[in-house]
């Protein structure tokens, strides 16, 4: 070892020990005849002291190292005169007697500090330097700790971690697949898994009973800020269970993680139907750290000749507690905010419930004091509250109000990143109509699309509706939502060949297509498939939630940018003609 | 839950309990008015009893289920009359009161027994049924247990598990890459990692100090029996270490695994140079469960007018203890064995050291009693031993003798799969000459090729030889070999830009190529790269070794066949023109 101790472990009890440390120069200070270097490694920072009077040559050498040089020093642990109580090693320093430069360093393009001067682009290009920063390293340490605790919990419950293949078969009925040309099977391609879904179901057919895997998955999507082409799932499946068994088991996992990783006692996780989530929060992943539920106002506001409300499919209000103090300027700004294209509302109506009990609205010419009292009753407002109302087409208005609710939550400080509120959303619709989702192949438009995936079991009560009114069939599916983030989701699966075949038919597969793509699974169902179900958590997102960040990228060691590029290694990149030829493909771009 | 207990947990202490079990019908027996079903799940087998006198209808129903039906039963735990001491649940049975068929099953194409009647091909196609067999499941349970223990050990030593990307950049200087066309970056490709090598080195540059990952890797090779296109590595890296630190740390890991998984106290792992391994075993991964070392005989046998020996570049012997009893027939058969094309020897010379002390050889007309005494002294043979000699061109003869030694070890029962002998092979050559390796791109032939990989550090004493005689430069590299299987390998890495550039030059890269492919790593070395090194274990192989099997396929849930196909899901397969078009590629086969 090029060290006897790390830079984080020496204390007053180590005084007079001869030690060797290795690490990076965080900074150095020259004070007359003395030089001090802060030596950094993953474990901490230790101060090195050089004294010109003791060793002139060594002191001169120490003065010549710059930030981020890698050095090795040997010396004696001594007590510091001016102690630094903020640093665990701050009571000691090393009186250096030997000094070796292990590697030099150019001046880094940004400072290796908690608050760096490097922008996003630069930090991505030099990710290996960004990784030296405390904050980034702590995020990845958290991720490591969470993975350990996930495995501890599941292992104790007899789950087996089984690796499923990465080179599988393209079944692009979900999002787009990444594909891999096969050199040995000319003209054919593997695909990278969007999830190990079919394999974990086959493990259940194979009697594995309880399976999990922390596993990379791939989705060739047009990326958004919080998406990565490769991402990690905690993928789980159980046999001989009903929905409640799965919810209990994985509520247990989440509580275990909160307890062991953050020392938080998570209360029981409530259940909410999809329908209620949409009605009260306009969103299937409501942030329940705060109430501010939707109030449908159509009946309350009707008949006062205010055309905007009378003509609206939906008039919906929220009551922002204690926001009656908002100034006209703030309210104007909020009105502009909801009118931005991302939100898309046409306007905002508000009513102040003043501290003196009076109510004043922005549409007083249509609504008298009495009408506004009815608003207040409907919204359960109290003096000091602010009622905000949007109106228009149902889906659009609900979406806009959901955004406004979150925005008000943020403005009112109700979305504290150190508080956590979880819920299970259940009874999702089984299907949704695809009228041209850009993340799906164009050929799939104008069809029913499985909201979760084609293997999700319909609610048994609704099976008859599959034939007559598929859009209202509820799925035996559930999502775990924490602080408005969809952290995981899953379902009880179909385990019957006929029902699975019916499902594929509903999704527009011909019998032949279904057999060609998923025949192996349907065949498996004929050899004794047990009832089973499971779920998958988005591990990147779960980590970012635990770490109090909105970005999963902060919790991935080497993330890609929004164009799917790794700017550090400069990938993707062109490959040689020799490679293309061996793989039996032509690049259309090259061919042009 | 569709059960209160598993099929493996009920005992005499549970008598009179009302229980519900779910599982598969292993077999059923009709005995007059009684029907017995063995109900199986992952945890065991429990006997179900149906009595016509108690419930005629239930008994009739029970008679109608076949093998592999999935059923749920409720009943009372009762003591069995005829107990089965070989089954942990064999003292009880369930007197069934309720019975539900959860799913029917066709007759499986092979029996779900320890000794199945299914051939390899059939078992692969119906892998989900093969997984129900005890043996296959036990292999994967072992794999799970090993992964848990690996993480336990490394976590305690402050290693962080960090996930590195799967979509990386093609650098086909090693084996061939699998590539992935990028839809969003037309004409460009990602590659799947052959190992996370450069990323783990960047983690060291990033100050992560100790990294590991149990990770899928990919190599587009022409497959052999024991290779898979995707395989799993235990990938590790440490900073501020020398070779001995790495050997100690990972010897510790292997000892921990042997102790916790197999309750074996592994002795200290000896070191052997590559040169000694080749001299004494003709092989850089010697099976050291038995001695039978090579003895170079050129000098001993010279000058007796036996042209075959006199003209040979290498004459080499092994002494097979206690094999003097081999009959003429056995020796003829062994001679045929070494002459097979896979072994390639031209003949076999032997000398029996008879129990009475006389020595008789197959070339007695050239070698008298005295000469043969000299053979015996050289080979350290004793009465009862058999000396076997091969002669010819050095490399070929060494290889043939290595095979013969292993064969004799097997025939003499010296390769017990329950005994384990490990060693570190060190001081590998840095480079080898590529005269047309079929697993490399053809354009790389006629060049030096890195024996481990281009990031391996030369032995510091040999650096000057890089310029003058690169073929003899030793690498700071090491392999862990157990029972003749290369279980892992690694090296101290280059951490200096100039040395890395020199290495690429030696491997035939132009400056531009080196910069284009590995510029990110060489740049990283300029910002304070610490001395570092590591290794990777082949996890599939380590599991098969622990499981006492020669095939890694038995330890992979869904393996591919020797053509890289998954015959269960029928992959790789063709993809649609719509997909090809979006990915900006043409399939040459399709285009034809």
């Amino acid at each position: 070892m090029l060290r006897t101790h790390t830079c984080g472990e020496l204390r007053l009890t180590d005084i007079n020990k001869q030690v060797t440390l290795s690490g990076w120069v965080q900074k150095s200070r020259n004070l007359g005849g003395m030089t001090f270097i802060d030596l950094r490694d993953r474990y901490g920072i230790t101060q090195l002291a050089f004294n010109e009077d003791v060793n002139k040559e060594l002191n001169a050498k120490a003065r010549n190292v710059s930030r981020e040089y890698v050095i090795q020093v040997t010396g004696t642990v001594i007590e510091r005169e001016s102690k630094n109580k903020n640093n665990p090693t701050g009571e000691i320093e090393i009186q250096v007697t030997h000094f070796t430069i292990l590697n030099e360093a150019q001046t880094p393009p940004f400072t290796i500090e908690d608050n760096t001067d490097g922008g996003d682009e630069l930090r991505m290009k030099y990710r290996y330097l960004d990784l030296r920063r405390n904050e980034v390293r702590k995020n990845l340490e958290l991720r490591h700790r969470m993975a350990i605790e996930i495995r501890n919990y599941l292992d104790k419950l007899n789950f087996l971690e089984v690796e499923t293949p990465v080179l599988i078969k393209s079944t692009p009925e979900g999002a787009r697949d990444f594909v891999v040309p096969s050199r040995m099977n000319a003209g054919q391609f593997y695909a990278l898994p969007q999830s190990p879904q079919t394999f974990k179901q086959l493990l259940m057919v194979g009697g594995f009973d309880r399976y999990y895997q922390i596993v990379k998955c791939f989705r060739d999507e047009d990326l958004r800020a919080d998406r990565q082409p490769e991402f990690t799932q905690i993928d789980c499946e159980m046999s001989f269970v009903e929905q409640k068994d799965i919810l209990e088991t994985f509520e247990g996992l989440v509580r275990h993680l909160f307890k062991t990783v953050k020392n938080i006692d998570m209360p029981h996780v409530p259940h909410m139907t999809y329908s209620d989530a949409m009605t009260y929060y306009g969103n299937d992943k409501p942030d329940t750290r705060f109430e501010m539920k939707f109030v449908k106002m159509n009946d309350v506001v009707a008949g006062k000749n205010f055309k905007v409300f009378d003509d609206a499919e939906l008039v919906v209000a929220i009551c922002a507690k204690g926001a009656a103090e908002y100034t006209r300027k703030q309210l104007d700004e909020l009105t502009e905010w909801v009118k931005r294209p991302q939100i898309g509302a046409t306007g905002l109506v508000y009513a102040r419930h003043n501290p003196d009990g009076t109510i004043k609205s922005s549409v007083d010419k249509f609504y008298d004091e009495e009408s506004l009292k009815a608003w207040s009753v409907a919204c359960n407002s109290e003096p000091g509250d602010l009622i905000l109302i949007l109106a228009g087409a149902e889906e659009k208005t609900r979406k806009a109000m959901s955004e406004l609710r979150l925005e008000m939550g943020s403005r009112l400080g109700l979305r504290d990143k150190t508080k956590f509120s979880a819920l299970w959303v259940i009874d999702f619709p089984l299907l949704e109509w695809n009228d041209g989702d850009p993340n799906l192949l164009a050929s799939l438009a104008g069809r029913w699309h499985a909201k979760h995936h084609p293997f999700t079991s319909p609610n048994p009560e609704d099976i008859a509706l599959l034939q007559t009114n598929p859009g209202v069939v509820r799925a035996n599916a559930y999502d775990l939502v924490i602080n408005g983030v969809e952290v995981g989701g899953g379902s009880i699966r179909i385990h019957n060949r006929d029902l699975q075949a019916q499902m594929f038919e509903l999704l527009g597969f011909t019998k032949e297509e279904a057999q060609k793509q998923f025949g192996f699974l349907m065949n498996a169902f004929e050899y004794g498939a047990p009832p089973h179900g499971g779920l998958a958590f988005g591990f990147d997102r779960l980590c970012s939630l635990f770490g109090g960040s909105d970005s999963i990228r902060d919790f991935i060691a080497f993330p890609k940018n929004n164009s799917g590029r790794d700017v550090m290694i400069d990938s993707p990149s062109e490959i040689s003609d020799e490679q293309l030829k061996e793989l039996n493909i032509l690049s259309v771009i090259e061919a042009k």
Side-chain angles (χ1 to χ4, degrees), chain A:
Chain A
M1 291 282 188
L2 304 183
R3 65 185 176 211
T4 56
H5 296 77
T6 71
C7 295
E9 68 180 303
L10 293 169
R11 298 288 184 276
L12 273 180
T13 49
D14 297 302
I15 293 293
N16 289 329
K17 277 190 190 158
Q18 285 291 309
V19 299
T20 299
L21 301 184
S22 291
W24 286 263
V25 174
Q26 177 71 21
K27 62 179 177 200
S28 72
R29 279 154 298 147
N30 303 331
L31 304 176
M34 296 287 289
T35 304
F36 295 100
I37 289 179
D38 280 355
L39 190 68
R40 186 197 70 230
D41 65 14
R42 179 182 128 198
Y43 311 94
I45 286 180
T46 298
Q47 179 163 296
L48 312 177
F50 301 81
N51 190 330
E52 195 175 51
D53 294 343
V54 175
N55 189 328
K56 195 165 178 171
E57 194 188 354
L58 213 57
N59 189 50
K61 212 169 157 189
R63 293 201 167 187
N64 270 328
V65 302
S66 311
R67 280 199 288 136
E68 302 306 317
Y69 267 51
V70 185
I71 64 173
Q72 180 190 40
V73 297
T74 297
T76 312
V77 182
I78 59 171
E79 186 168 355
R80 257 161 88 164
E81 286 193 13
S82 62
K83 299 192 171 53
N84 176 357
K85 297 285 182 188
N86 296 323
N87 183 350
T89 68
E91 298 191 298
I92 60 95
E93 64 189 11
I94 313 297
Q95 187 78 55
V96 177
T97 52
H98 293 87
F99 178 101
T100 310
I101 293 174
L102 296 173
N103 215 342
E104 299 184 356
Q106 290 188 28
T107 306
F110 52 86
T111 54
I112 313 294
E113 304 277 358
D114 288 358
N115 288 309
T116 181
D117 57 357
D120 247 23
E121 193 71 7
L122 204 59
R123 291 193 294 117
M124 282 298 154
K125 183 166 160 61
Y126 296 92
R127 183 65 168 176
Y128 46 86
L129 298 180
D130 203 27
L131 289 170
R132 287 186 193 162
R133 294 171 55 234
N134 267 324
E135 195 189 308
V136 182
R137 198 195 59 244
K138 287 214 163 90
N139 288 345
L140 291 164
E141 285 173 346
L142 171 72
R143 187 176 175 120
H144 167 75
R145 184 54 39 208
M146 287 182 68
I148 293 269
E149 289 300 340
I150 289 162
R151 290 189 165 99
N152 281 348
Y153 177 85
L154 293 172
D155 188 46
K156 285 210 181 83
L157 291 182
N158 272 323
F159 282 80
L160 292 175
E161 184 160 30
V162 180
E163 294 174 56
T164 54
V166 176
L167 297 172
I168 66 164
K169 179 170 169 163
S170 186
T171 54
E173 87 301 332
R176 286 182 181 82
D177 283 326
F178 284 106
V179 302
V180 180
S182 166
R183 180 175 59 89
M184 297 217 282
N185 301 272
Q188 301 191 330
F189 294 78
Y190 302 99
L192 305 183
Q194 297 184 27
S195 92
Q197 184 62 35
T198 50
F199 290 97
K200 68 176 171 175
Q201 292 192 242
L202 291 173
L203 286 172
M204 295 304 106
V205 176
F208 270 56
D209 202 70
R210 295 179 166 204
Y211 144 92
Y212 80 98
Q213 190 182 186
I214 300 182
V215 60
K216 274 283 174 75
C217 299
F218 307 86
R219 213 166 285 174
D220 186 9
E221 289 181 318
D222 298 327
L223 301 176
R224 285 183 267 140
D226 204 25
R227 289 280 170 94
Q228 289 278 316
E230 56 179 297
F231 54 96
T232 304
Q233 284 192 351
I234 311 164
D235 192 49
C236 307
E237 198 79 2
M238 303 170 80
S239 288
F240 301 117
V241 289
E242 295 166 295
Q243 177 170 303
K244 71 177 170 50
D245 304 314
I246 295 182
L247 302 195
E248 275 167 22
T249 304
F250 293 100
E251 175 174 337
L253 171 59
V254 171
R255 290 159 58 96
H256 173 81
L257 287 177
F258 272 108
K259 186 64 195 172
T260 54
V261 176
K262 298 190 78 75
N263 199 26
I264 289 175
D265 287 300
M266 183 83 169
H268 172 66
V269 177
H271 298 188
M272 183 186 297
T273 64
Y274 172 84
S275 163
D276 280 355
M278 296 308 281
T279 303
Y280 297 119
Y281 300 95
N283 196 315
D284 61 4
K285 38 179 196 281
D287 184 346
T288 48
R289 276 173 298 187
F290 61 106
E291 280 265 319
M292 214 187 283
K293 280 185 187 171
F294 286 17
V295 180
K296 187 170 179 180
M297 299 287 283
N298 295 56
D299 293 346
V300 182
V301 300
K304 303 288 175 180
N305 296 321
F306 184 43
K307 225 174 130 44
V308 173
F309 281 178
D310 288 350
D311 294 353
E313 198 178 2
L314 177 68
V315 182
V316 60
I318 53 174
C319 173
K321 288 277 161 208
E325 291 168 7
Y326 264 42
T327 61
R328 177 63 192 258
K329 196 177 155 201
Q330 281 176 299
L331 287 163
D332 286 349
E333 188 266 326
L334 202 59
T335 305
E336 289 312 307
W337 189 90
V338 300
K339 287 164 83 175
R340 295 181 318 152
Q342 302 95 304
I343 310 298
T346 46
L348 175 67
V349 169
Y350 58 84
R352 279 202 194 89
H353 198 149
N354 292 315
D356 64 6
T358 60
I359 306 178
K360 290 278 168 197
S361 87
S362 55
V363 286
D364 276 356
K365 60 177 162 176
F366 297 100
Y367 297 92
D368 59 16
E369 184 85 19
E370 187 131 357
S371 305
L372 295 178
K373 278 268 188 296
W375 292 18
S376 167
V377 170
C379 296
N380 208 11
S381 76
E382 297 173 308
D385 294 350
L386 176 68
I387 294 171
L388 297 168
I389 306 182
L390 296 178
E394 176 147 359
E395 195 183 326
K396 196 173 169 183
T397 304
R398 210 156 52 189
K399 265 192 193 155
M401 185 52 107
S402 170
E403 294 295 332
L404 177 60
R405 175 181 174 273
L406 292 173
E407 178 66 19
M408 288 308 297
S410 296
R411 292 189 184 200
L412 296 172
L414 303 173
R415 303 180 72 193
D416 180 348
K417 283 195 196 319
T418 66
K419 296 274 177 292
F420 296 91
S421 174
L423 79 161
W424 288 107
V425 178
I426 59 173
D427 288 350
F428 276 85
L430 184 69
L431 302 164
E432 58 190 359
W433 189 254
N434 170 16
D435 44 16
D437 184 333
N439 276 317
L440 303 177
L441 288 174
S443 57
L444 297 173
R447 289 192 193 184
W448 286 110
H449 184 72
K451 191 163 173 78
H452 273 77
H453 52 55
F455 316 107
T456 299
S457 177
N459 188 318
E461 297 163 28
D462 297 352
I463 284 186
L465 293 166
L466 281 173
Q467 308 272 5
T468 53
N469 191 359
V472 303
V473 173
R474 289 167 301 167
N476 212 335
Y478 32 82
D479 277 358
L480 180 70
V481 175
I482 304 180
N483 291 5
V485 174
E486 180 203 324
V487 164
S491 61
I492 298 295
R493 323 300 183 185
I494 297 169
H495 64 282
N496 173 284
R497 186 190 173 109
D498 293 337
L499 184 57
Q500 188 65 70
Q502 187 182 354
M503 188 69 188
F504 283 128
E505 195 184 336
L506 201 57
L507 296 173
F509 284 70
T510 65
K511 271 204 172 58
E512 292 67 35
E513 285 167 349
Q515 186 59 35
K516 192 175 168 203
Q517 284 189 31
F518 296 108
F520 62 97
L521 186 66
M522 292 198 289
N523 291 347
F525 287 169
E526 297 199 330
Y527 289 100
H532 62 287
L535 88 181
F537 292 100
F539 187 43
D540 310 293
R541 203 160 286 183
L542 193 64
C543 291
S544 72
L545 187 82
F546 270 64
S549 165
D550 292 326
S551 165
I552 62 171
R553 214 185 277 180
D554 297 344
F555 293 79
I556 296 173
F558 299 101
K560 295 188 172 54
N561 73 9
N562 284 349
S563 316
R565 293 199 70 81
D566 182 328
V567 296
M568 178 185 72
I569 64 172
D570 193 21
S571 164
S573 61
E574 287 168 19
I575 60 174
S576 71
D577 291 342
E578 186 181 9
Q579 284 175 282
L580 288 170
K581 192 174 165 198
E582 284 196 342
L583 295 171
N584 303 291
I585 56 173
L586 284 177
S587 164
V588 177
I589 302 301
E590 290 285 302
K592 268 176 191 166

